[in-house]
Amino acid sequence: MSRPLLPLKAGAIVFTLLWTAWMMWWGGSFSSANVIILALCGAAVGYLWYRAMRWQFERMGLLPGKDDASGAS
């Protein structure tokens, strides 16, 4: 895990947990099927959020691009 991406990955995990908890609270149904489906959807949403934020931060120059990640100077 590279250091520049550590805060972004931690933020994606927190976003995933908060989104999943919010959807469970908003739905009001805590059946096992609902919890499993929302957990899977939460993981997908968190991953998509991470990819979108990483792309945007690379575009803004706040993260090294894929070509710059090799470490060669």
Side-chain angles (χ1 to χ4, degrees), residues 29-72:
S29 174
F30 292 102
S31 67
S32 59
N34 192 29
V35 170
I36 290 170
I37 290 170
L38 285 175
L40 291 174
C41 290
V45 166
Y47 178 74
L48 291 174
W49 183 85
Y50 167 77
R51 298 301 293 180
M53 291 299 107
R54 182 175 175 173
W55 175 76
Q56 184 63 33
F57 289 158
E58 284 176 354
R59 258 188 60 186
M60 293 169 49
L62 298 174
L63 288 176
K66 291 180 179 106
D67 298 336
D68 300 335
S70 64

Side-chain angles (χ1 to χ4, degrees), residues 19-31 34 38:
W19 186 91
T20 303
W22 177 261
M23 289 295 116
M24 284 183 190
W25 179 78
W26 187 53
S29 174
F30 292 102
S31 67
N34 192 29
L38 285 175

Side-chain angles (χ1 to χ4, degrees), residues 2-32:
S2 66
R3 284 284 192 210
L5 296 178
L6 191 60
L8 185 58
K9 289 178 181 181
I13 290 170
V14 169
F15 179 79
T16 299
L17 293 174
L18 290 174
W19 186 91
T20 303
W22 177 261
M23 289 295 116
M24 284 183 190
W25 179 78
W26 187 53
S29 174
F30 292 102
S31 67
S32 59

